[in-house]
């Protein structure tokens, strides 16, 4: 089955970025001149996804407006001879088909994904969590779709983390079937280092068979009193083939201030128009520290 839809949960309150997120959705905070969510949607588009399902909540309207056309702004840019900017803005409005569904209560990631069920229909689909940005020539979601196409099962994107950081992530267990892919036996949500089965953590990239919805309907509240996607994936592991795939790419935890800062510096260094400026700033600061 071709993976055409990606579910992106964006209903969270963004408490780690308060007070900025008091009025602005955290997904709209920019890294340089693009909001964070732009990078995730771009990843989806470059991975062959044709439709994004945002699982949203009140106060997040700016996200869907961002991906809509803004005729007034476009007209203004044309009138003022800002052709290049016009094209950039127009392109965002035409980037991809967007559907939004509401998550009326914040009951966890599993609940958020289940909210997308009627829009996803009978298809298998991708899930992209906006707190992480992964930079690579072949986008991470594409790498996971390739693994799904090869092995015909759900695929969870994983990366190696230091043992002491396992408490931050869902950690997978399984047996290796080739260098980068494991056949999964299950996963543990945010284990203490001593309880972690491996150091392979998911930063929030999944390709899920449609059967996940059945599992999401059956799970009980889990860690933190929330409906956990991890619990539904564990159920799926008992009934179907689920794989973990170690993706390639530089990952930024842009849900944290440190990761946000790192991404900002690296992205500036990676841009022709900003690279020299960033190097100058870093050199100046180096002298002062
Ligand atoms: C969620 C998932 C967790 C995953 C993480 C990635 O947790 O439950 O398995 O590793 O996202 O960001 P959250 O960070 O929403 O608590």
């Amino acid at each position: 089955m071709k993976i055409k839809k990606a579910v992106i949960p964006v209903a969270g309150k963004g408490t780690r970025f308060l007070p900025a997120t008091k009025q602005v959705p955290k997904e709209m905070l920019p890294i340089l001149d693009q909001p964070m969510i732009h990078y995730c949607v771009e990843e989806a588009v470059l991975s062959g996804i044709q439709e994004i399902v945002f699982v949203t909540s009140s106060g997040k309207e700016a996200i869907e407006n961002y991906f809509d056309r803004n005729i007034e702004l476009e007209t203004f840019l044309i009138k003022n001879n800002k052709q290049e900017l016009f094209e950039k803005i127009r392109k965002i409005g035409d980037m991809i088909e967007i559907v939004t569904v509401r998550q009326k209560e914040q009951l966890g990631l599993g609940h958020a994904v289940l909210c997308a069920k009627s829009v996803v229909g009978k298809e298998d689909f991708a899930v992209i969590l906006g707190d992480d940005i992964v930079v690579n020539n072949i986008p991470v979601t594409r790498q996971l779709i390739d693994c799904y196409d090869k092995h015909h099962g759900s695929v969870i994107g994983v990366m190696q983390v230091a043992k002491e950081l396992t408490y931050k992530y869902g950690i997978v267990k399984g047996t290796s079937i080739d260098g980068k892919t494991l056949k999964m036996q299950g996963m543990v949500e945010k284990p203490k280092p001593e309880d972690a089965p491996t150091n392979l953590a998911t930063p929030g990239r999944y390709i899920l068979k449609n059967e996940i919805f059945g599992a999401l309907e059956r799970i009980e509240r889990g860690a933190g009193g929330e409906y956990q996607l991890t619990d539904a994936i564990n159920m799926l592991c008992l009934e179907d083939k689920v794989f973990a795939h170690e993706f390639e790419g530089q990952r930024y935890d842009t849900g944290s201030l440190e990761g946000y800062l790192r991404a900002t510096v690296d992205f500036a260094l990676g841009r022709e128009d900003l690279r020299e400026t960033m190097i100058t700033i870093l050199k100046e600061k180096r002298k002062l520290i």
Side-chain angles (χ1 to χ4, degrees):
M1 187 185 290
K2 188 166 161 34
I3 303 291
K4 291 183 284 194
K5 294 179 181 167
V7 174
I8 308 189
V10 293
K13 295 250 176 284
T15 46
R16 282 189 284 181
F17 281 88
L18 277 170
T21 47
K22 189 178 169 203
Q23 285 303 324
V24 178
K26 74 167 172 190
E27 295 79 7
M28 291 304 294
L29 298 179
I31 295 181
L32 305 181
D33 47 11
Q34 284 190 174
M36 289 200 239
I37 191 71
H38 185 120
Y39 296 93
C40 293
V41 170
E42 203 165 51
E43 173 190 325
V45 172
L46 294 172
S47 299
I49 298 289
Q50 294 162 12
E51 186 175 313
I52 299 285
V53 185
F54 283 129
V55 182
T56 175
S57 61
S58 84
K60 297 279 184 160
E61 295 76 12
I63 301 173
E64 48 190 305
N65 290 344
Y66 179 81
F67 291 102
D68 197 356
R69 294 277 305 277
N70 183 337
I71 308 289
E72 200 188 326
L73 177 60
E74 288 173 20
T75 314
F76 172 85
L77 293 172
I78 287 288
K79 258 195 195 154
N80 288 281
N81 279 327
K82 300 200 180 299
Q83 185 67 25
E84 214 176 292
L85 264 179
F86 162 77
E87 269 156 32
K88 213 183 230 180
I89 296 299
R90 172 72 206 255
K91 218 169 127 191
I92 297 167
D94 285 341
M95 209 167 166
I96 197 163
E97 211 53 55
I98 301 282
V99 178
T100 60
V101 293
R102 285 279 181 137
Q103 185 183 17
K104 293 178 186 162
E105 278 181 280
Q106 307 291 296
L107 298 177
L109 179 59
H111 177 254
V113 173
L114 185 56
C115 289
K117 182 183 171 195
S118 61
V119 181
V120 171
K122 300 266 172 262
E123 296 175 30
D124 300 342
F125 61 103
V127 173
I128 298 176
L129 303 189
D131 275 353
D132 292 84
I133 295 178
V134 184
V135 178
N136 198 58
N137 278 347
I138 303 172
V140 55
T141 294
R142 183 70 245 169
Q143 295 177 43
L144 302 186
I145 293 174
D146 289 344
C147 184
Y148 159 93
D149 287 342
K150 185 170 169 195
H151 294 292
H152 311 288
S154 298
V155 181
I156 318 296
V158 291
M159 60 184 186
Q160 300 204 19
V161 293
K163 202 75 180 169
E164 62 271 19
L165 294 181
T166 57
Y167 73 95
K168 285 186 166 186
Y169 305 94
I171 302 290
V172 305
K173 57 181 165 182
T175 40
S176 172
I177 55 170
D178 70 40
K180 296 280 175 196
T181 310
L182 271 79
K183 168 99 171 32
M184 268 175 63
Q185 273 131 27
M187 62 190 287
V188 189
E189 185 63 11
K190 306 194 177 87
K192 291 188 203 130
E194 59 271 27
D195 300 329
T198 62
N199 69 337
L200 293 171
T202 170
R205 294 294 187 279
Y206 314 80
I207 307 298
L208 297 172
K209 297 275 291 281
N210 198 269
E211 285 74 12
I212 195 74
F213 288 124
L216 285 168
E217 280 164 342
R218 279 179 283 143
I219 53 167
E220 313 259 326
R221 285 177 193 256
E226 297 191 330
Y227 291 97
Q228 297 287 352
L229 181 59
T230 292
D231 292 341
I233 290 171
N234 275 331
M235 217 177 250
L236 206 59
C237 284
L238 300 172
E239 297 162 2
D240 199 8
K241 285 184 292 186
V242 182
F243 301 91
H245 184 72
E246 205 180 317
F247 59 80
E248 281 173 22
Q250 172 68 45
R251 172 256 181 182
Y252 298 91
D253 173 14
T254 47
S256 74
L257 278 171
E258 187 195 332
Y260 181 80
L261 209 54
R262 282 183 190 279
T264 304
V265 173
D266 277 4
F267 286 20
L269 288 173
R271 249 175 62 170
E272 236 172 74
D273 58 335
L274 292 173
R275 185 177 167 77
E276 284 313 313
T277 311
M278 183 49 99
I279 290 174
T280 308
I281 295 172
L282 292 174
K283 278 185 181 159
E284 279 170 15
K285 296 295 162 202
R286 184 75 192 100
K287 280 185 214 144
L288 296 175
I289 295 165

